Amino acid sequence: MFSYEKKLQYPVNIKNPNPALAKVIISQYGGPDGELGASLRYLSQRFSMPYPELKGLLTDVGVEELGHLEMIGAIVYQLTRNLSIDEIKKAGFDAYFTDHTTGVYPTAASGAPYSAFSMQVKGDVIADLHEDLAAEQKARVTYDNLLRLIDDPDVRDPIKFLREREVVHFQRFGEGLRIATDKLDSKNFYAFNPSFDKHCNKR
């Protein structure tokens, strides 16, 4: 069971709406390397994770990613609040506005809606942890790209916080991979459950 604290993990206080920025930042809400996919990936992988400490890691990071999804939603909302139709047209926000008005919808910056095909859950310790390491690096690169595009310090500040958390998550999953490899001997290294070892040895 989750307990919800009614505040953002890091404050978002954007003074100047800017739908052009919202168009690109929305990718970290529902894009291929965004926070929605991250939270679903980790909270799904934890069910088949055989080691309690790694199950706990996936739960901790997955729940934090839900907090990051909330932050991105707040950023997009604040960037698009109280817009005039002229501002919407001028920023090229009209296509999004047509489908969603200024609601926060899980989509990539390219316009592709969120798809679970952008994430993977294999039920294999090694495969899933490598997936997680790659996912955190891809999210970090996306935040790097956003910081290259954003000048507004009110927007950059929470984006920089989110980027730092991706680095921390990468480090934690690296530690998790070391824990897993210590637990798996050479015979069952590529099996998420040592009981599969007898099947692997039939090859």
Side-chain angles (χ1 to χ4, degrees), residues 97-173:
F97 180 83
T98 299
D99 290 335
H100 311 295
T101 319
T102 55
V104 180
Y105 177 76
T107 184
S110 63
Y114 174 75
S115 170
F117 281 116
S118 64
M119 54 170 269
Q120 185 54 269
V121 180
K122 293 298 282 187
D124 178 288
V125 172
I126 302 301
D128 281 349
L129 288 172
H130 277 91
E131 162 86 7
D132 302 342
L133 287 162
E136 294 297 329
Q137 285 300 312
K138 288 185 285 185
R140 189 265 309 161
V141 171
T142 303
Y143 282 125
D144 285 343
N145 290 340
L146 289 173
L147 289 169
R148 293 180 179 110
L149 297 170
I150 297 168
D151 294 325
D152 186 337
D154 289 345
V155 184
R156 288 180 61 85
D157 186 45
I159 294 294
K160 287 192 290 185
F161 169 82
L162 290 166
R163 181 198 180 279
E164 289 170 3
R165 295 307 299 166
E166 305 298 350
V167 174
V168 171
H169 293 170
F170 177 79
Q171 292 169 338
R172 291 197 65 195
F173 284 129

Coordinates of all heavy atoms in Angstrom, one line a residue, residues 97-173:
F97 N -3.3 21.2 -28.4 CA -4.6 21.8 -27.9 C -5.8 21.2 -28.5 O -6.8 21.0 -27.8 CB -4.5 23.3 -28.1 CG -5.7 24.1 -27.6 CD1 -5.8 24.5 -26.3 CD2 -6.7 24.4 -28.5 CE1 -6.9 25.2 -25.8 CE2 -7.8 25.1 -28.0 CZ -7.9 25.5 -26.7
T98 N -5.8 20.9 -29.8 CA -6.9 20.4 -30.5 C -7.4 19.1 -29.8 O -8.6 18.8 -29.6 CB -6.6 20.2 -32.0 OG1 -6.3 21.4 -32.6 CG2 -7.7 19.5 -32.7
D99 N -6.4 18.2 -29.5 CA -6.7 16.9 -28.9 C -6.9 16.9 -27.4 O -7.7 16.1 -26.9 CB -5.6 15.9 -29.3 CG -5.5 15.6 -30.7 OD1 -6.6 15.7 -31.4 OD2 -4.5 15.2 -31.2
H100 N -6.2 17.8 -26.7 CA -6.2 17.7 -25.2 C -6.5 19.0 -24.5 O -6.4 19.0 -23.3 CB -4.8 17.1 -24.8 CG -4.4 15.9 -25.5 ND1 -5.0 14.7 -25.5 CD2 -3.3 15.7 -26.4 CE1 -4.4 13.8 -26.3 NE2 -3.4 14.4 -26.8
T101 N -6.8 20.0 -25.2 CA -6.9 21.4 -24.7 C -5.6 21.6 -23.9 O -4.5 21.5 -24.5 CB -8.1 21.5 -23.8 OG1 -9.3 20.8 -24.4 CG2 -8.6 23.0 -23.6
T102 N -5.6 21.9 -22.6 CA -4.3 22.0 -21.9 C -4.2 21.0 -20.8 O -3.5 21.1 -19.8 CB -4.1 23.4 -21.3 OG1 -5.3 23.7 -20.5 CG2 -4.0 24.5 -22.4
G103 N -4.9 19.9 -21.0 CA -4.8 18.7 -20.1 C -3.4 18.1 -20.3 O -2.8 18.1 -21.3
V104 N -2.9 17.5 -19.2 CA -1.6 16.8 -19.2 C -1.8 15.4 -19.7 O -2.4 14.6 -19.0 CB -0.9 16.9 -17.9 CG1 0.4 16.2 -17.9 CG2 -0.8 18.3 -17.4
Y105 N -1.4 15.1 -20.9 CA -1.6 13.8 -21.5 C -0.3 13.1 -21.8 O 0.7 13.7 -22.2 CB -2.3 14.0 -22.9 CG -2.6 12.8 -23.7 CD1 -3.6 11.9 -23.3 CD2 -1.8 12.5 -24.8 CE1 -3.8 10.7 -24.1 CE2 -2.0 11.3 -25.5 CZ -3.0 10.5 -25.2 OH -3.3 9.3 -25.9
P106 N -0.2 11.8 -21.5 CA 1.1 11.0 -21.7 C 1.4 10.8 -23.2 O 0.9 9.9 -23.8 CB 0.8 9.7 -21.0 CG -0.6 9.5 -21.0 CD -1.3 10.9 -20.9
T107 N 2.3 11.7 -23.6 CA 2.7 11.6 -25.0 C 4.2 12.0 -25.1 O 4.8 12.6 -24.2 CB 1.9 12.6 -25.9 OG1 2.2 12.4 -27.3 CG2 2.1 14.0 -25.4
A108 N 4.8 11.6 -26.2 CA 6.2 12.0 -26.5 C 6.2 13.4 -27.2 O 5.2 13.9 -27.7 CB 6.9 11.0 -27.4
A109 N 7.3 14.1 -27.2 CA 7.5 15.4 -27.8 C 7.1 15.2 -29.3 O 6.6 16.2 -29.9 CB 8.9 15.9 -27.7
S110 N 7.3 14.1 -29.9 CA 7.0 13.8 -31.3 C 5.6 13.7 -31.6 O 5.1 13.7 -32.7 CB 7.7 12.5 -31.8 OG 7.2 11.4 -31.0
G111 N 4.7 13.6 -30.5 CA 3.3 13.4 -30.7 C 2.8 12.0 -30.5 O 1.6 11.8 -30.4
A112 N 3.7 11.0 -30.4 CA 3.3 9.6 -30.3 C 2.8 9.4 -28.8 O 3.5 9.8 -27.9 CB 4.5 8.7 -30.6
P113 N 1.6 8.9 -28.6 CA 1.1 8.6 -27.3 C 1.9 7.6 -26.6 O 2.6 6.8 -27.2 CB -0.3 8.2 -27.5 CG -0.3 7.6 -28.9 CD 0.7 8.4 -29.7
Y114 N 1.8 7.6 -25.2 CA 2.6 6.6 -24.5 C 2.2 5.2 -24.9 O 1.1 4.8 -25.1 CB 2.3 6.7 -23.0 CG 3.0 5.6 -22.2 CD1 4.4 5.6 -22.0 CD2 2.3 4.5 -21.7 CE1 5.0 4.6 -21.3 CE2 2.9 3.5 -21.1 CZ 4.3 3.5 -20.9 OH 4.9 2.5 -20.3
S115 N 3.2 4.3 -25.0 CA 3.0 2.9 -25.3 C 3.9 2.1 -24.4 O 5.1 2.4 -24.2 CB 3.4 2.6 -26.7 OG 3.4 1.2 -26.9
A116 N 3.4 1.0 -23.8 CA 4.1 0.1 -23.0 C 5.2 -0.6 -23.8 O 6.1 -1.2 -23.2 CB 3.2 -0.9 -22.3
F117 N 5.2 -0.5 -25.1 CA 6.2 -1.1 -25.9 C 7.6 -0.5 -25.7 O 8.6 -1.0 -26.1 CB 5.8 -1.1 -27.4 CG 4.8 -2.1 -27.8 CD1 3.6 -1.8 -28.3 CD2 5.1 -3.5 -27.8 CE1 2.7 -2.7 -28.7 CE2 4.2 -4.4 -28.1 CZ 3.0 -4.1 -28.6
S118 N 7.6 0.7 -25.1 CA 8.8 1.4 -24.9 C 9.6 0.9 -23.6 O 10.7 1.3 -23.3 CB 8.6 2.9 -24.7 OG 7.8 3.2 -23.6
M119 N 9.0 -0.1 -22.9 CA 9.6 -0.6 -21.7 C 9.6 -2.1 -21.7 O 8.9 -2.7 -22.6 CB 8.8 -0.1 -20.4 CG 7.4 -0.4 -20.5 SD 6.5 -0.2 -18.9 CE 6.7 -1.8 -18.1
Q120 N 10.4 -2.7 -20.8 CA 10.5 -4.2 -20.9 C 10.5 -4.8 -19.4 O 11.1 -4.2 -18.5 CB 11.7 -4.6 -21.6 CG 11.9 -6.1 -21.8 CD 10.7 -6.8 -22.5 OE1 9.7 -7.2 -21.8 NE2 10.7 -6.8 -23.8
V121 N 9.8 -5.9 -19.3 CA 9.9 -6.7 -18.0 C 10.1 -8.1 -18.5 O 9.2 -8.7 -19.1 CB 8.6 -6.5 -17.2 CG1 8.6 -7.4 -16.0 CG2 8.3 -5.1 -16.9
K122 N 11.2 -8.7 -18.1 CA 11.6 -10.1 -18.6 C 11.5 -11.1 -17.5 O 11.5 -12.3 -17.8 CB 13.0 -10.1 -19.2 CG 13.1 -9.3 -20.5 CD 12.3 -9.9 -21.6 CE 12.9 -11.1 -22.2 NZ 12.1 -11.6 -23.4
G123 N 11.5 -10.7 -16.2 CA 11.5 -11.7 -15.2 C 12.9 -12.4 -15.0 O 13.0 -13.5 -14.5
D124 N 13.9 -11.7 -15.5 CA 15.3 -12.3 -15.5 C 16.1 -11.2 -14.8 O 16.2 -10.0 -15.3 CB 15.8 -12.5 -16.9 CG 17.2 -13.0 -16.9 OD1 18.1 -12.2 -16.7 OD2 17.4 -14.2 -17.3
V125 N 16.8 -11.5 -13.7 CA 17.5 -10.6 -12.9 C 18.5 -9.7 -13.8 O 18.5 -8.5 -13.8 CB 18.3 -11.3 -11.8 CG1 19.2 -10.3 -11.1 CG2 17.4 -11.9 -10.8
I126 N 19.3 -10.4 -14.6 CA 20.4 -9.8 -15.3 C 19.8 -8.9 -16.4 O 20.1 -7.7 -16.6 CB 21.4 -10.8 -15.9 CG1 22.0 -11.6 -14.8 CG2 22.4 -10.1 -16.7 CD1 22.7 -10.8 -13.8
A127 N 18.8 -9.4 -17.2 CA 18.2 -8.7 -18.2 C 17.4 -7.4 -17.7 O 17.6 -6.3 -18.2 CB 17.2 -9.6 -19.0
D128 N 16.7 -7.6 -16.6 CA 15.9 -6.5 -16.1 C 16.8 -5.4 -15.5 O 16.6 -4.2 -15.7 CB 14.9 -7.0 -15.0 CG 13.7 -7.6 -15.6 OD1 13.5 -7.5 -16.8 OD2 12.9 -8.2 -14.8
L129 N 17.9 -5.8 -14.8 CA 18.7 -4.7 -14.3 C 19.5 -4.0 -15.3 O 19.7 -2.8 -15.2 CB 19.7 -5.3 -13.2 CG 19.0 -5.8 -11.9 CD1 20.0 -6.5 -11.0 CD2 18.5 -4.5 -11.2
H130 N 19.9 -4.7 -16.4 CA 20.5 -4.0 -17.5 C 19.5 -3.1 -18.2 O 19.9 -2.0 -18.7 CB 21.2 -5.0 -18.5 CG 22.5 -5.4 -18.1 ND1 22.7 -6.5 -17.3 CD2 23.8 -4.9 -18.3 CE1 24.0 -6.7 -17.1 NE2 24.7 -5.7 -17.7
E131 N 18.3 -3.5 -18.3 CA 17.2 -2.7 -18.9 C 17.1 -1.4 -18.0 O 17.0 -0.3 -18.6 CB 15.9 -3.4 -18.9 CG 14.7 -2.6 -19.0 CD 14.3 -2.3 -20.4 OE1 14.9 -2.8 -21.3 OE2 13.3 -1.5 -20.6
D132 N 17.2 -1.5 -16.7 CA 17.0 -0.4 -15.8 C 18.2 0.6 -15.9 O 18.0 1.8 -15.9 CB 16.8 -0.9 -14.4 CG 15.7 -1.9 -14.3 OD1 14.8 -1.8 -15.1 OD2 15.6 -2.6 -13.3
L133 N 19.4 0.0 -16.0 CA 20.6 0.9 -16.1 C 20.5 1.7 -17.4 O 20.8 2.9 -17.4 CB 21.8 0.0 -16.1 CG 22.3 -0.6 -14.8 CD1 23.2 -1.7 -15.0 CD2 22.9 0.5 -13.9
A134 N 20.1 1.0 -18.5 CA 20.0 1.7 -19.8 C 18.9 2.8 -19.7 O 19.0 3.9 -20.3 CB 19.7 0.7 -20.9
A135 N 17.8 2.4 -19.1 CA 16.6 3.4 -19.0 C 17.0 4.6 -18.3 O 16.7 5.7 -18.7 CB 15.5 2.7 -18.3
E136 N 17.8 4.5 -17.2 CA 18.2 5.7 -16.5 C 19.1 6.6 -17.3 O 19.1 7.8 -17.2 CB 18.8 5.3 -15.1 CG 17.9 4.6 -14.2 CD 16.8 5.5 -13.7 OE1 16.9 6.7 -13.6 OE2 15.7 5.0 -13.4
Q137 N 20.0 6.0 -18.1 CA 20.9 6.7 -18.9 C 20.1 7.5 -20.0 O 20.4 8.6 -20.3 CB 22.0 5.9 -19.5 CG 23.1 5.5 -18.5 CD 23.8 6.7 -17.9 OE1 24.2 7.6 -18.6 NE2 23.9 6.7 -16.6
K138 N 19.1 6.8 -20.6 CA 18.4 7.4 -21.7 C 17.5 8.6 -21.1 O 17.4 9.6 -21.8 CB 17.5 6.4 -22.3 CG 18.2 5.4 -23.2 CD 17.3 4.4 -24.0 CE 16.7 3.4 -23.1 NZ 15.9 2.4 -23.8
A139 N 17.0 8.4 -19.9 CA 16.3 9.5 -19.3 C 17.2 10.7 -19.0 O 16.9 11.8 -19.2 CB 15.6 9.0 -18.0
R140 N 18.4 10.3 -18.5 CA 19.4 11.4 -18.2 C 19.7 12.2 -19.5 O 19.8 13.4 -19.5 CB 20.7 10.8 -17.6 CG 21.7 11.8 -17.1 CD 22.8 12.1 -18.1 NE 23.4 10.9 -18.6 CZ 24.1 10.9 -19.7 NH1 24.2 12.0 -20.5 NH2 24.6 9.8 -20.2
V141 N 19.9 11.5 -20.6 CA 20.2 12.2 -21.9 C 19.0 13.1 -22.3 O 19.2 14.2 -22.8 CB 20.5 11.1 -23.0 CG1 20.6 11.8 -24.4 CG2 21.8 10.4 -22.7
T142 N 17.8 12.6 -22.1 CA 16.6 13.4 -22.4 C 16.6 14.7 -21.6 O 16.4 15.8 -22.1 CB 15.3 12.6 -22.2 OG1 15.4 11.4 -23.0 CG2 14.1 13.4 -22.6
Y143 N 16.9 14.6 -20.3 CA 17.0 15.8 -19.5 C 18.1 16.7 -19.9 O 18.0 17.9 -19.9 CB 17.1 15.4 -18.0 CG 15.8 15.0 -17.4 CD1 15.7 13.7 -16.7 CD2 14.7 15.8 -17.4 CE1 14.5 13.4 -16.2 CE2 13.5 15.4 -16.9 CZ 13.4 14.2 -16.2 OH 12.2 13.8 -15.7
D144 N 19.3 16.1 -20.3 CA 20.4 16.9 -20.9 C 19.9 17.7 -22.1 O 20.2 18.9 -22.2 CB 21.5 16.0 -21.3 CG 22.3 15.5 -20.1 OD1 22.2 16.0 -19.0 OD2 23.1 14.5 -20.3
N145 N 19.1 17.0 -23.0 CA 18.6 17.7 -24.2 C 17.7 18.8 -23.8 O 17.7 19.9 -24.4 CB 18.0 16.7 -25.1 CG 19.0 15.7 -25.7 OD1 20.1 16.0 -25.8 ND2 18.5 14.6 -26.2
L146 N 16.8 18.6 -22.8 CA 15.9 19.6 -22.4 C 16.6 20.8 -21.9 O 16.3 22.0 -22.2 CB 14.9 19.0 -21.4 CG 13.9 18.1 -21.9 CD1 13.1 17.4 -20.7 CD2 12.9 18.7 -22.9
L147 N 17.7 20.6 -21.1 CA 18.4 21.7 -20.5 C 19.1 22.5 -21.6 O 19.3 23.7 -21.4 CB 19.4 21.2 -19.5 CG 18.8 20.7 -18.2 CD1 19.8 19.9 -17.3 CD2 18.2 21.8 -17.4
R148 N 19.5 21.8 -22.7 CA 20.0 22.6 -23.8 C 19.0 23.5 -24.5 O 19.4 24.5 -25.1 CB 20.6 21.6 -24.9 CG 21.8 20.8 -24.4 CD 22.3 19.8 -25.5 NE 23.4 19.0 -25.0 CZ 23.4 17.7 -24.7 NH1 22.3 17.0 -24.8 NH2 24.5 17.1 -24.3
L149 N 17.7 23.2 -24.4 CA 16.7 23.9 -25.0 C 16.0 25.0 -24.1 O 15.3 25.9 -24.6 CB 15.6 23.0 -25.5 CG 16.0 21.9 -26.5 CD1 14.8 20.9 -26.7 CD2 16.3 22.6 -27.9
I150 N 16.2 24.9 -22.8 CA 15.5 25.7 -21.9 C 16.4 26.8 -21.3 O 17.5 26.5 -20.8 CB 14.9 24.8 -20.7 CG1 13.9 23.8 -21.3 CG2 14.2 25.7 -19.7 CD1 13.5 22.7 -20.3
D151 N 15.9 28.1 -21.3 CA 16.6 29.2 -20.7 C 16.0 29.6 -19.4 O 16.7 30.2 -18.6 CB 16.6 30.4 -21.7 CG 17.4 30.1 -22.9 OD1 18.5 29.4 -22.8 OD2 17.0 30.6 -24.0
D152 N 14.7 29.4 -19.2 CA 14.0 29.9 -18.1 C 14.5 29.2 -16.8 O 14.4 28.0 -16.6 CB 12.5 29.7 -18.2 CG 11.6 30.3 -17.1 OD1 12.2 30.5 -16.0 OD2 10.4 30.5 -17.4
P153 N 15.1 30.0 -15.8 CA 15.6 29.3 -14.6 C 14.6 28.6 -13.8 O 14.8 27.7 -13.1 CB 16.3 30.5 -13.9 CG 15.7 31.7 -14.4 CD 15.3 31.4 -15.8
D154 N 13.3 29.1 -13.8 CA 12.2 28.5 -13.1 C 11.9 27.1 -13.6 O 11.5 26.2 -12.8 CB 10.9 29.3 -13.2 CG 11.0 30.6 -12.4 OD1 12.0 30.7 -11.5 OD2 10.2 31.5 -12.6
V155 N 12.2 26.9 -14.9 CA 12.0 25.6 -15.5 C 13.2 24.7 -15.4 O 13.1 23.5 -15.1 CB 11.6 25.7 -17.0 CG1 11.2 24.3 -17.6 CG2 10.3 26.6 -17.1
R156 N 14.4 25.3 -15.6 CA 15.6 24.6 -15.5 C 15.8 24.0 -14.1 O 16.4 22.9 -14.0 CB 16.8 25.5 -15.8 CG 16.9 25.9 -17.3 CD 18.1 26.8 -17.5 NE 19.4 26.2 -17.1 CZ 20.1 25.4 -17.9 NH1 19.6 25.1 -19.2 NH2 21.2 24.9 -17.5
D157 N 15.4 24.7 -13.0 CA 15.7 24.2 -11.7 C 15.1 22.8 -11.4 O 15.9 21.9 -11.0 CB 15.2 25.3 -10.7 CG 15.6 25.0 -9.3 OD1 16.8 24.6 -9.0 OD2 14.8 25.1 -8.4
P158 N 13.8 22.6 -11.6 CA 13.3 21.3 -11.3 C 13.8 20.2 -12.3 O 14.0 19.0 -11.9 CB 11.8 21.4 -11.4 CG 11.6 22.7 -12.1 CD 12.7 23.5 -11.9
I159 N 14.1 20.6 -13.5 CA 14.6 19.7 -14.5 C 16.0 19.2 -14.1 O 16.4 18.0 -14.2 CB 14.7 20.4 -15.9 CG1 13.3 20.6 -16.4 CG2 15.5 19.5 -16.9 CD1 12.4 19.4 -16.7
K160 N 16.9 20.1 -13.6 CA 18.2 19.8 -13.1 C 18.1 18.8 -11.9 O 18.9 17.8 -11.8 CB 19.0 21.0 -12.7 CG 19.5 21.8 -13.9 CD 20.5 22.8 -13.5 CE 19.9 24.0 -12.7 NZ 20.9 25.0 -12.4
F161 N 17.1 19.0 -11.0 CA 16.9 18.1 -9.9 C 16.5 16.7 -10.5 O 17.1 15.7 -10.0 CB 15.8 18.6 -9.0 CG 15.3 17.5 -8.0 CD1 16.0 17.3 -6.9 CD2 14.2 16.8 -8.3 CE1 15.6 16.4 -5.9 CE2 13.8 15.8 -7.4 CZ 14.5 15.6 -6.2
L162 N 15.6 16.6 -11.4 CA 15.2 15.3 -12.0 C 16.4 14.6 -12.7 O 16.5 13.4 -12.6 CB 14.1 15.6 -13.0 CG 12.7 15.9 -12.3 CD1 11.7 16.5 -13.3 CD2 12.1 14.8 -11.5
R163 N 17.2 15.4 -13.4 CA 18.4 14.8 -14.0 C 19.3 14.2 -13.0 O 19.8 13.1 -13.2 CB 19.2 15.9 -14.8 CG 20.4 15.3 -15.5 CD 21.4 16.4 -15.9 NE 22.5 15.8 -16.6 CZ 23.6 15.3 -16.0 NH1 23.6 15.2 -14.7 NH2 24.6 14.8 -16.7
E164 N 19.5 14.9 -11.9 CA 20.4 14.4 -10.8 C 19.9 13.0 -10.2 O 20.6 12.1 -9.9 CB 20.5 15.4 -9.7 CG 21.3 16.6 -10.1 CD 21.2 17.7 -9.0 OE1 20.6 17.5 -8.0 OE2 21.8 18.8 -9.2
R165 N 18.5 12.9 -10.1 CA 18.0 11.7 -9.6 C 18.1 10.5 -10.6 O 18.3 9.4 -10.1 CB 16.5 11.9 -9.3 CG 16.2 12.9 -8.2 CD 17.0 12.6 -6.9 NE 16.6 11.3 -6.4 CZ 17.3 10.7 -5.4 NH1 18.4 11.2 -4.9 NH2 16.9 9.5 -5.0
E166 N 18.2 10.8 -11.9 CA 18.4 9.7 -12.8 C 19.8 9.2 -12.6 O 20.1 8.0 -12.7 CB 18.3 10.2 -14.3 CG 17.0 10.9 -14.6 CD 15.8 10.0 -14.5 OE1 15.9 8.8 -14.4 OE2 14.7 10.5 -14.6
V167 N 20.8 10.0 -12.3 CA 22.2 9.6 -12.1 C 22.2 8.8 -10.8 O 22.9 7.7 -10.8 CB 23.1 10.8 -12.0 CG1 24.5 10.4 -11.5 CG2 23.2 11.6 -13.3
V168 N 21.5 9.2 -9.8 CA 21.5 8.4 -8.5 C 20.8 7.0 -8.7 O 21.3 6.0 -8.3 CB 20.7 9.2 -7.4 CG1 20.5 8.3 -6.2 CG2 21.5 10.4 -7.0
H169 N 19.7 7.0 -9.5 CA 19.1 5.7 -9.8 C 20.0 4.8 -10.6 O 20.0 3.6 -10.3 CB 17.8 5.9 -10.6 CG 16.7 6.7 -9.8 ND1 15.6 7.1 -10.4 CD2 16.6 7.0 -8.5 CE1 14.8 7.7 -9.5 NE2 15.5 7.6 -8.3
F170 N 20.7 5.3 -11.5 CA 21.7 4.5 -12.3 C 22.7 3.9 -11.3 O 23.1 2.7 -11.4 CB 22.4 5.4 -13.3 CG 23.5 4.7 -14.1 CD1 23.1 3.8 -15.2 CD2 24.8 4.8 -13.8 CE1 24.1 3.2 -15.9 CE2 25.8 4.2 -14.5 CZ 25.4 3.3 -15.6
Q171 N 23.2 4.7 -10.4 CA 24.2 4.2 -9.4 C 23.6 3.1 -8.5 O 24.2 2.1 -8.3 CB 24.7 5.4 -8.5 CG 25.5 6.4 -9.3 CD 25.8 7.6 -8.5 OE1 25.1 8.0 -7.6 NE2 26.8 8.4 -8.9
R172 N 22.3 3.3 -8.1 CA 21.7 2.3 -7.3 C 21.4 1.0 -8.0 O 21.6 -0.1 -7.5 CB 20.4 2.8 -6.7 CG 20.6 4.0 -5.7 CD 19.3 4.2 -4.9 NE 19.0 3.1 -4.1 CZ 17.8 3.0 -3.5 NH1 16.9 3.8 -3.6 NH2 17.6 1.9 -2.7
F173 N 21.1 1.1 -9.3 CA 20.9 -0.1 -10.1 C 22.2 -0.8 -10.4 O 22.3 -2.0 -10.5 CB 20.1 0.2 -11.4 CG 18.7 0.4 -11.2 CD1 18.0 1.5 -11.7 CD2 17.9 -0.5 -10.5 CE1 16.7 1.7 -11.5 CE2 16.5 -0.3 -10.3 CZ 15.9 0.8 -10.8

